[in-house]
Amino acid sequence: SQKIEQNSEALNIQEGKTATLTCNYTNYSPAYLQWYRQDPGRGPVFLLLIRENEKEKRKERLKVTFDTTLKQSLFHITASQPADSATYLCALRDTGTASKLTFGTGTRLQVTL
Amino acid sequence: KAGVTQTPRYLIKTRGQQVTLSCSPISGHRSVSWYQQTPGQGLQFLFEYFSETQRNKGNFPGRFSGRQFSNSRSEMNVSTLELGDSALYLCASSLAPGSGNTIYFGEGSWLTVV
């Protein structure tokens, strides 16, 4: 069956450290993968998109990697800040499914002082 | 420019009733999709509309329906509400379907079924 798995346990890290979140998928052939941030009671906010033929994407303190062999994407936040505390969702569009996005259940990140 | 606007933000309905949720996409966006978010299931795709046509549908019963108007505004309807329909319903818009176009989410409509 198809699955997108993110670590369901919260990730607690200290301010200034690098947070690394994992997204693993099974039985998908993603055309691209996206990462979103969601704060409590709010809608998800788009952060980064990485396509199947790209290995890495960066945006300011954010970095995403995409390994189609391992079927995994890693999301890094460098020099993390308490304001980065939120739930982070990965989502992918499977080839041949138009624009339907399938989301993982998200990982909650807590950055402490 | 204004973001995706969803109304109402909060509502409480009784089992068996029906509900209609509204979504106004970002100006110029013609693709609207709907998602249901619950603590247990996460974000699940309901359906997507483009140019007033449903392009894609998720695995939800026929009680869930939607439509899109010529001005790209969209509504979704849930009939014969069940307790399990309690969720955050999110609308998202993009310029057009696919091709990695960024989708922008609204703040959602919180539905509680009692």
Side-chain angles (χ1 to χ4, degrees), chain A residues 6-112:
Chain A
Q6 295 185 255
N7 193 339
S8 58
E9 293 182 13
L11 177 63
N12 295 296
I13 65 164
Q14 203 172 20
E15 182 181 21
K17 303 290 187 185
T18 296
T20 298
L21 287 71
T22 304
C23 176
N24 294 298
Y25 59 90
T26 307
N27 292 328
Y28 283 102
S29 297
Y32 58 78
L33 190 146
Q34 301 182 343
W35 284 87
Y36 290 79
R37 168 187 172 137
Q38 187 173 26
D39 292 286
R42 311 292 297 273
V45 175
F46 170 79
L47 296 174
L48 281 169
L49 176 151
I50 186 164
R51 298 184 187 278
E52 58 181 332
N53 59 348
E54 297 175 318
K55 296 290 187 188
E56 183 179 297
K57 262 295 185 58
R58 291 175 185 263
K59 179 183 175 183
E60 297 172 353
R61 296 185 295 113
L62 308 180
K63 184 177 85 170
V64 172
T65 63
F66 195 8
D67 189 325
T68 54
T69 302
L70 291 179
K71 300 187 186 303
Q72 180 182 80
S73 175
L74 298 178
F75 177 78
H76 307 271
I77 305 175
T78 57
S80 58
Q81 306 164 0
D84 296 326
S85 299
T87 295
Y88 291 85
L89 302 158
C90 72
L92 60 81
R93 180 177 82 83
D94 207 6
T95 51
T97 60
S99 57
K100 170 188 171 183
L101 278 178
T102 304
F103 282 82
T105 51
T107 298
R108 190 164 60 86
L109 172 66
Q110 184 70 41
V111 181
T112 54

